[in-house]
Amino acid sequence: MKLTVALASILSLASSSLAFVPTTSINQRNNAGVSLNMSGVERNPNFGKLVGGYLFPEIARRRNAYLEENPDMADRIISLGIGDTTQPIPEHILGGLITGASKLGTKEGYSGYGAEQGMGDLRAKIASVLYNDLIDPSEVFVSDGAKCDIMRIQQMFGSRVTSAVQDPSYPVYVDTSVMMGQTGLINEETRQFDGIVYMPCTAENNFFPDLASLPRADVVYFCSPNNPTGAAATKEQLTELVNICKERGSILVFDAAYAPFIRSPGIPKSIYEIERSEER
C-alpha cells in the first residue's frame, strides 16, 4: 500500500504549462542590433494544454529531489520513469544487423527502399511467433515505434472522439489525445484532462478497471502488461473488456508491447486470444 501511494505521488503531473500561441508578427533585435522577425503563424493551441512537459523528465526530477533528502534509499527506490536497455544486443541479432548492413555496401546486395509494410519474412515470423498464427502476415505492419503509431491512430480518428485510458498508463495516450484537440483543459484538482475517460487501475481493484461503471468512450486504449504497473490482465478480464467494447460500439486499441515478459500460464499475450476480438 505504501508503494502504491508513493508511486501515485511520483506519477502526478507538475503544475506548470507550455503555452505558445503567437498570433501576430513580433519584431525584435538581437544583441548586434539585427532585426529579427518572429513568425506570426498560429501554432496548434492544444499544445498549450500540455502540463509540465513530458511526464518522464518530471518523474526523474522528483526522484532526484527525493534522493537528495533520503540518500539512504538509493538502493531501494523503484523508479517508474523512462526505462533503458541494460543488456547488450544478442549475438544472433547483432550478426543479422551486420550482415544486412554489409549487403547494402555491395552492388549485388543493395536493395534500395524496403517494403512499405515491412519485410515479408519478418512479418510472417511476427504473425507466427508473437501471435501464434492467430493473424495473417498481411495484417502485420512493421513501424518505427509505439509513439509514432499512437499518434497515427489519433490522426485517423481525429478530434471529435472520446478516448479512454488506464490510470496509470503510458503518458503518450493522453498527450496525443490532448494534441489532437480531443480534450479540455487539465482539472487542477484531479490533475486529469477534461474529456478523457480515466480507467482507475489500482491495488484496490486488482489493477483492472470497473468497466461497467465507466462512461462510454469511442476509443479505448488498453496496455497489458500495463506500463507502468506491470499488471497483466487475465483471459476473463480481457473477455469482459472485449464484450463491453462490442456492446458500446467502442474501438479497442490493445497495446501488447510487454507481452513477451509474460511467464504465468493462461495469461493472454494477444487480444486475438479472446473470442469475438476479431469481429468487426
Side-chain angles (χ1 to χ4, degrees), residues 57 65 86 91 132 233 265:
T86 59
E91 184 119 7
N132 295 318

Side-chain angles (χ1 to χ4, degrees), residues 118-151:
M119 296 172 59
D121 54 350
L122 174 60
R123 295 163 65 199
K125 185 69 73 173
I126 290 173
S128 173
V129 175
L130 297 183
Y131 290 93
N132 295 318
D133 292 316
L134 293 172
I135 62 174
D136 189 83
S138 64
E139 299 177 275
V140 176
F141 173 77
V142 181
S143 74
D144 53 350
K147 291 185 181 69
C148 299
D149 284 340
I150 293 169
M151 190 60 188

